Amino acid sequence: MKIFAILIGALLAAVSVRGQDNVEAIVAQKVQPILPGNGKGGGVAVAVRMNGETRFFNYGFANDARNERVTADSIFNLGSVGKVFATTILAEAVKRGELSLNDPVAKYVTELQRGGDIRQVTLGQLASHTSGLPRVPQQYEHWHRGGYTWPDFVRFLNSWKAGPNHEPGKQYLYSNAAMVLLRVALERRFNTRFAALMHERITGPLGMNSTALPVPRALLGRTVQGYGPGGSPISRPGEEQGTFKWPGAGQIYSSGRDMATFLAANMGELAGHGAIENAMGFAQQPVFTVGPRLKIGLAWQNFSSGNLLILDKNGGLNNTSTYIGFAPQRKLGVVILVNRGKQHATGIGRQILHALAQEKSEPSTEGEPEQDTD
């Protein structure tokens, strides 16, 4: 009997090792198309959540010039993946009874109370890309050159007119402007800078010590160099990009290890954080139907991919491509951080989720093309 037990144990261990090897092979195969052909010009950090455990897979270089390879602690620009931090704070505040999704944004950003159509826009519409606001103000103010200061942004918002194709609450219209305005509304409601609010309500409690806005000097040494699609360096490590030029309006930076923690919490698998996980679950719930396969929560995409439901968010700038997604019914999740622009992180993330679902011996179909990006 003792020998039989030993044999069974050895067999189970062998199956476990083989399963782990298969996961590694799946990830390596799927990320291969976005690795630089010459080994330089960027790399990829991947975190996989499966069977209640997290594994990290890292490829390529964080900084070619310094010959530094990507690790789970390398810090990347999250791009629009950072939007789910603002919507998580919003969701938690709603759960606490501190505000409502139906609150007009002008209730908190009082500079907008004398405006026009912006007074119709609610916090929930900002968070679900249904406000009607354009992606960036320049799409409305074609004459404007350069970035937007806060006074510039207020002027734009107060002059904005909703048209037939962008009425608040009537359609999905992806908007960076709306999400930046949501940050400001949260700051005003709690009289706290967004970076401090994020630390107080999310990153501090979850122990995400490598997530920041902007990148502090202490973390710059681990921040990756960003590269363009062709592998040329773009901007300095940790340098903010984008349209909006005031403190707290830039991109959030984080590591693969921190984002794996954020992923586990969103999957409801991080013990001792029930309140945050409940808020995250609320943020994930669809509030607007875009089409037969796509519904939008508070920034989260609910995407029906074959017979696999995937909740995800992606991001991208000219020097970063990012993705976080999970299949809640299969308890599978993945984070992909690439320090090179215009890479198909969304499609690859979904392909990995499908392949992992098949690895768990449940039927699925192949991945789908990406739906959204910065």
Side-chain angles (χ1 to χ4, degrees):
M1 180 65 72
K2 186 175 182 180
I3 293 175
F4 180 73
I6 292 173
L7 288 173
I8 291 296
L11 179 61
L12 290 174
V15 170
S16 176
V17 169
R18 187 162 60 249
Q20 291 179 7
D21 289 343
N22 288 348
V23 173
E24 185 172 2
I26 287 168
V27 173
Q29 177 196 22
K30 299 301 182 184
V31 303
Q32 187 62 41
I34 58 175
L35 290 176
N38 59 1
K40 297 287 187 176
V44 184
V46 180
V48 170
R49 183 78 179 175
M50 185 175 183
N51 298 325
E53 297 180 348
T54 300
R55 297 184 66 195
F56 299 95
F57 306 94
N58 302 295
Y59 310 88
F61 287 83
N63 191 310
D64 293 348
R66 298 203 299 244
N67 202 37
E68 293 174 354
R69 299 195 68 87
V70 169
T71 73
D73 296 305
S74 299
I75 296 173
F76 291 75
N77 185 331
L78 294 182
S80 277
V81 166
K83 288 179 169 64
V84 293
F85 285 85
T87 59
T88 298
I89 294 170
L90 173 65
E92 185 179 48
V94 170
K95 297 290 279 187
R96 291 181 177 184
E98 296 168 327
L99 46 69
S100 168
L101 293 182
N102 293 323
D103 286 346
V105 65
K107 176 180 179 180
Y108 303 108
V109 185
T110 55
E111 295 95 322
L112 307 180
Q113 289 178 352
R114 296 181 181 180
D117 290 349
I118 191 63
R119 290 182 297 175
Q120 304 173 37
V121 174
T122 68
L123 300 182
Q125 291 166 352
L126 295 177
S128 59
H129 296 294
T130 58
S131 68
L133 289 169
R135 180 182 289 262
V136 291
Q138 291 95 329
Q139 291 179 333
Y140 186 83
E141 295 184 338
H142 301 288
W143 51 267
H144 187 91
R145 295 292 178 266
Y148 274 70
T149 64
W150 174 245
D152 290 332
F153 193 47
V154 169
R155 184 207 66 245
F156 152 70
L157 292 170
N158 281 327
S159 66
W160 172 73
K161 301 295 183 184
N165 297 321
H166 47 253
E167 297 177 61
K170 299 298 185 181
Q171 69 288 300
Y172 171 76
L173 190 64
Y174 192 84
S175 176
N176 294 331
M179 287 293 180
V180 168
L181 180 55
L182 176 61
R183 286 189 189 183
V184 176
L186 291 169
E187 288 184 334
R188 297 294 181 82
R189 168 61 181 85
F190 297 107
N191 193 29
T192 304
R193 289 287 191 182
F194 182 77
L197 197 59
M198 183 175 73
H199 177 75
E200 174 188 321
R201 298 208 170 194
I202 303 177
T203 60
L206 296 183
M208 297 171 62
N209 298 319
S210 298
T211 304
L213 165 74
V215 180
R217 185 180 299 274
L219 297 182
L220 278 177
R222 288 196 280 123
T223 303
V224 301
Q225 170 64 56
Y227 298 89
S232 299
I234 295 179
S235 302
R236 297 185 301 272
E239 185 175 359
E240 294 183 7
Q241 296 191 57
T243 299
F244 307 102
K245 305 298 183 182
W246 67 86
Q251 295 89 39
I252 297 167
Y253 282 73
S254 188
S255 68
R257 194 178 305 280
D258 268 17
M259 290 306 293
T261 298
F262 188 72
L263 174 66
N266 270 280
M267 293 174 66
E269 296 183 346
L270 208 59
H273 296 284
I276 293 177
E277 290 183 341
N278 287 339
M280 289 174 165
F282 179 67
Q284 295 158 13
Q285 295 303 307
V287 298
F288 189 86
T289 299
V290 180
R293 294 191 299 166
L294 180 63
K295 298 178 181 179
I296 299 296
L298 305 183
W300 286 96
Q301 300 165 154
N302 287 241
F303 185 59
S304 297
S305 180
N307 62 352
L308 193 66
L309 174 64
I310 296 175
L311 292 131
D312 61 11
K313 184 69 189 80
N314 56 328
L317 297 167
N318 59 0
N319 64 354
T320 189
S321 306
T322 57
Y323 177 80
I324 180 172
F326 60 101
Q329 296 163 341
R330 308 291 179 87
K331 294 295 183 181
L332 299 169
V334 65
V335 170
I336 300 175
L337 305 175
V338 189
N339 59 331
R340 195 152 59 102
K342 307 297 182 182
Q343 305 306 300
H344 298 295
T346 307
I348 289 170
R350 290 174 180 170
Q351 289 170 21
I352 289 174
L353 290 173
H354 276 280
L356 293 177
Q358 292 174 341
E359 181 67 18
K360 295 185 76 170
S361 300
E362 296 190 28
S364 182
T365 61
E366 282 302 309
E368 301 286 347
E370 51 189 291
Q371 298 293 304
D372 192 12
T373 188
D374 268 346

